[in-house]
Amino acid sequence: MEEKDYSYKNRNYLKIYNSLTEKKELFHPIHKEYVGIYVCGPTVYNHLHLGNCRTFISFDIVFRYLKHLGYKVRYVRNITDVGHLENENYDAEDKIYKKSRIEGLEPMEVVQKYTLSFHNLLNILNVLPPSIEPTATGHIIEQIDMIQKLIKKKLAYEINGSVYFDLKEYRKSYPYGVISKNKIDRLYHKKLKFLKEKRGFHDFSLWKKADSRHIMNWNSPWGKGFPGWHIECTAMSIKYLGETFDIHGGGIDLKFPHHECELAQAIGIYNKSNFAHYWMHANMFTLNGKKMSKSTGNFLEIKDIIYDKYDKKICGKAFSPNIFRFYILLSHYRNVMDFSYKGLIDAEKGYHRIMNAVNVLRNFEPKTSKDILKNHNIFNVNHWINICYQAINDDFNTPLLIAHLFQASIHIMNHNSLQNIDHVNLFLLKKYMIHFVFDILGIQEINHHEENSRKLKILIKRLIKFRTEERNQKNWIISDKIRKELSYIGVLLHDKKLLQ
C-alpha cells in the first residue's frame, strides 16, 4: 500500500476536531491560500494563571502549524478591557471596574498593567503575537451598530437604558446551544432569581446602563452605558475576518454561554447558518483535580514554577519557561490535564533528551556514501517524517509528535545508527527535527546566561529570606555575614529596627 505524502506542501490531511459537529473534519479553508482565526483573549483585570496559559499555548501551535503549511494566516486575539460582568444581576460589576476600586487605580491603568503582564508572560513562553489584537473599548461603535441591528430585527429589546438579547424570540427561528449541546429548557429553574427587567432568565446583556459611579461609560442611543461581554467578540471577529471565517477558538469554559451567545448574535444579524466553520476548545489545566480559578484560590501562576515559590511547597525546584511549555504539549489540548510536579520533572528530562539529540545532529558529519554499511535496521527518515506529519495533522496531536521525536532521538544518540546515515537522510533529519521542535512546537533552547541569571535571583531571594529569619531570631553574626556578602555583589539591604 502506497504511503501518503505528509510533506509540508500537502495540506490535504489536516483534521480538526469541530466542537460544533463533535467530530474530526478535514480542514478546508474558505479561501484557498488564507486562513482566518479568532481566539478569545483575556479579560485584563489580573495576572494569568497557568490554566489560561495552556489555552494560548494550544492555539499558538495551531497558528504555527498553519503558517508552516504555507497559509497566510490572520490570527485575531482580542483584549477584553470592558464589559465582562461577573453575572447578570442588578449589582453585577464589570471585573475591570471592580479591580480599579480595589487597587485604587483608574480602569485604564488596570488594563495597561495587566495587558503588559499578559504580553510579558506569553513572550517568555514563546507564544507568537497575533496578527491583530483589538480591544473592546476600541470597537464601541461597531458594537452599538450590531445592537441596533438586533433591535431592528426584534431579537433584542431596550428597557431602562439597558439592552438585552431576546433568546425566546431568537429560538423561534434558530436553535440555541448547538456548540455546548445544552438544552435551555433543562437549564432553567423556576426557583432561580434573575433581573426582573429581563423578559427571560437566559436573556443576556448587550448594553448595560451605567450608574453615576461607573467610570467606564459611553454615549449610546439608549443613554450612557457600556457593552456586554458577548457582543464585543462578535463585533471584532466579523470586523477583521468577515461574516464567516475559518476557526474560532478559546478555552472549554467559554463554550457556554460565551460562544453560544457570540454565535446567536452573528446568526441573528446576518441570517447565516454558520459563523465560524470550525470551533476549537482547549480543555482545562486543573490543580488538585479542580479548575484553576483566582476567585477560589485554587491556581498557580508562572512565577510559582519558574521562581520556585518554595514557601508554598509547590515544587522542589525552579523550572525554565521552556520546560513548562514542553510539559503542556505532552498532553493533547482536548484532554483535561492536572498539574503534577512529577510531570514537570519528566518533561525536563524529555526536553533535554530531545535538545541533546538536536545538538548532536548539528555537529555530526556523516561518512561518505561508499563507507555506508548495508544495514536493514537503519532509521527510515522518510517514514519518520511522514508519521510526524500524520501526528500533527491528527487534530494537532502534540504528544504523539513528541513521542516520534523521542524515537528519532534514540537513533541520533546511537552512534552505530547515526554512522549509517548518508548525506541526504542526514539533511532531511536535521531539517525536519528543526521544523518540528522549533518551528511547530515552538520549543526554545535554554539560554544558559539567562538561566544562570534567573538562578542567581532565586538564590539571592532565598538568602534574604533566610537572613530575615535569622535576624528575627537575633542571630546577628549570621545575618550580618549574609548582609556583608550580598553587598559585595551590589545587593544592599536596609533593615528596619526590630521591636524589642
Side-chain angles (χ1 to χ4, degrees):
M1 186 175 178
E2 186 179 351
E3 191 167 29
K4 291 179 180 178
D5 175 19
Y6 285 98
S7 70
Y8 73 96
K9 292 181 181 178
N10 197 327
R11 305 165 175 173
N12 298 327
Y13 302 115
L14 173 60
K15 287 186 176 181
I16 295 177
Y17 182 86
N18 191 347
S19 297
L20 197 63
T21 60
E22 295 187 297
K23 63 182 180 181
K24 293 178 187 177
E25 300 175 358
L26 283 171
F27 178 64
H28 296 298
I30 297 170
H31 305 287
K32 186 177 179 181
E33 298 298 324
Y34 299 87
V35 176
I37 306 175
Y38 185 87
V39 172
C40 293
T43 301
V44 282
Y45 72 102
N46 213 329
H47 301 293
L48 261 62
H49 58 63
L50 296 187
N52 306 132
C53 294
R54 187 192 189 190
T55 296
F56 298 119
I57 290 172
S58 298
F59 286 102
D60 186 54
I61 299 298
V62 176
F63 185 31
R64 286 173 178 274
Y65 188 56
L66 290 171
K67 287 176 67 177
H68 174 78
L69 290 177
Y71 289 113
K72 294 178 181 178
V73 185
R74 177 175 287 179
Y75 177 24
V76 182
R77 188 185 67 211
N78 76 296
I79 294 287
T80 296
D81 56 354
V82 70
H84 194 156
L85 300 178
E86 293 184 312
N87 53 60
E88 290 279 350
N89 296 331
Y90 277 114
D91 57 351
E93 281 193 286
D94 181 298
K95 290 186 176 183
I96 290 165
Y97 175 55
K98 180 178 180 180
K99 190 71 169 185
S100 74
R101 290 193 299 100
I102 292 171
E103 296 196 2
L105 300 172
E106 285 286 334
M108 284 298 111
E109 284 185 276
V110 172
V111 167
Q112 180 73 357
K113 175 182 176 179
Y114 292 111
T115 299
L116 288 174
S117 170
F118 171 63
H119 288 155
N120 290 336
L121 173 55
L122 295 196
N123 184 53
I124 69 169
L125 292 173
N126 198 30
V127 172
L128 297 175
S131 314
I132 302 173
E133 191 173 55
T135 62
T137 56
H139 296 79
I140 299 295
I141 293 173
E142 289 87 350
Q143 294 172 75
I144 289 175
D145 181 59
M146 281 192 164
I147 295 169
Q148 288 178 311
K149 288 176 180 176
L150 287 168
I151 291 174
K152 189 175 182 180
K153 291 195 168 193
K154 301 190 184 304
L155 293 175
Y157 54 91
E158 182 270 334
I159 187 165
N160 298 330
S162 294
V163 182
Y164 299 97
F165 188 89
D166 193 331
L167 201 54
K168 183 178 179 180
E169 193 65 29
Y170 175 81
R171 291 175 65 208
K172 290 178 181 178
S173 303
Y174 313 102
Y176 181 81
V178 293
I179 304 172
S180 62
K181 309 301 182 283
N182 281 326
K183 303 295 182 184
I184 294 302
D185 295 334
R186 296 177 186 175
L187 289 173
Y188 175 72
H189 196 289
K190 291 182 180 179
K191 292 182 180 180
L192 291 175
K193 295 180 180 180
F194 61 94
L195 284 174
K196 291 181 180 179
E197 69 180 16
K198 291 201 302 182
R199 293 176 183 172
F201 177 76
H202 287 291
D203 291 355
F204 54 88
S205 301
L206 297 172
W207 187 265
K208 289 290 286 184
K209 179 182 179 180
D211 61 33
S212 57
R213 299 169 301 154
H214 207 285
I215 302 170
M216 303 180 78
N217 62 77
W218 289 263
N219 291 321
S220 79
W222 318 287
K224 284 188 176 293
F226 55 95
W229 177 30
H230 311 305
I231 193 68
E232 68 174 63
C233 285
T234 305
M236 288 185 282
S237 60
I238 288 174
K239 179 179 177 67
Y240 296 108
L241 298 174
E243 295 173 13
T244 58
F245 53 93
D246 297 302
I247 299 171
H248 194 310
I252 198 167
D253 56 322
L254 298 181
K255 265 190 182 183
F256 184 86
H258 186 52
H259 286 168
E260 294 289 7
C261 295
E262 277 189 69
L263 181 60
Q265 291 164 163
I267 290 176
I269 293 170
Y270 297 104
N271 195 27
K272 292 187 177 181
S273 60
N274 215 333
F275 173 40
H277 286 199
Y278 303 84
W279 289 81
M280 298 180 66
H281 294 92
N283 216 322
M284 288 186 290
F285 184 46
T286 58
L287 179 63
N288 303 316
K290 298 178 182 178
K291 177 184 176 181
M292 287 199 196
S293 170
K294 294 253 176 165
S295 60
T296 63
N298 186 60
F299 69 92
L300 290 175
E301 293 181 359
I302 195 67
K303 64 183 180 182
D304 299 321
I305 303 298
I306 67 175
Y307 293 125
D308 180 20
K309 301 284 282 187
Y310 67 98
D311 53 316
K312 286 188 177 181
K313 297 182 180 179
I314 297 164
C315 300
K317 57 174 288 187
F319 293 88
S320 163
N322 283 292
I323 304 301
F324 176 72
R325 182 184 175 104
F326 187 74
Y327 170 53
I328 289 295
L329 297 178
L330 286 170
S331 179
H332 192 272
Y333 78 92
R334 285 195 293 112
N335 293 337
V336 175
M337 184 180 186
D338 195 55
F339 173 80
S340 161
Y341 171 59
K342 182 182 181 301
L344 273 173
I345 292 290
D346 292 340
E348 186 174 49
K349 292 175 182 176
Y351 168 88
H352 288 300
R353 192 190 316 169
I354 290 174
M355 285 304 169
N356 288 339
V358 169
N359 288 327
V360 167
L361 259 185
R362 283 172 172 165
N363 300 314
F364 180 74
E365 292 295 332
K367 292 182 177 181
T368 59
S369 298
K370 63 181 180 181
D371 293 329
I372 296 298
L373 300 174
K374 290 183 178 179
N375 188 335
H376 296 295
N377 295 320
I378 292 175
F379 183 49
N380 187 329
V381 176
N382 283 315
H383 173 71
W384 174 80
I385 293 170
N386 275 349
I387 61 174
C388 285
Y389 274 112
Q390 189 172 1
I392 198 70
N393 280 332
D394 184 17
D395 193 32
F396 309 97
N397 195 333
T398 56
L400 183 56
L401 173 58
I402 291 170
H404 296 323
L405 295 176
F406 284 146
Q407 179 193 14
S409 298
I410 292 170
H411 287 276
I412 292 167
M413 301 305 288
N414 183 321
H415 181 74
N416 291 330
S417 179
L418 200 58
Q419 285 295 339
N420 289 328
I421 194 168
D422 59 26
H423 290 278
V424 173
N425 281 296
L426 177 65
F427 170 79
L428 289 173
L429 188 55
K430 282 182 179 180
K431 176 181 178 180
Y432 285 96
M433 277 291 284
I434 289 170
H435 278 329
F436 295 130
V437 174
F438 300 115
D439 300 342
I440 295 172
L441 294 181
I443 304 300
Q444 290 180 304
E445 292 183 88
I446 293 175
N447 184 317
H448 292 291
H449 175 73
E450 290 180 2
E451 187 70 4
N452 290 336
S453 176
R454 185 173 64 86
K455 288 178 179 178
L456 178 60
K457 289 178 182 178
I458 293 168
L459 178 60
I460 290 171
K461 283 185 177 181
R462 287 190 169 190
L463 278 172
I464 292 172
K465 181 169 183 177
F466 175 69
R467 178 180 178 273
T468 301
E469 292 170 353
E470 292 301 310
R471 191 166 180 268
N472 289 336
Q473 295 296 321
K474 299 184 180 180
N475 294 327
W476 309 118
I477 295 175
I478 294 175
S479 65
D480 287 346
K481 178 68 174 175
I482 295 173
R483 178 179 181 175
K484 186 176 181 180
E485 292 297 324
L486 287 174
S487 71
Y488 291 150
I489 60 171
V491 180
L492 303 179
L493 301 179
H494 302 283
D495 295 322
K496 293 181 180 179
K497 188 174 181 180
L498 291 175
L499 296 175
Q500 299 297 321

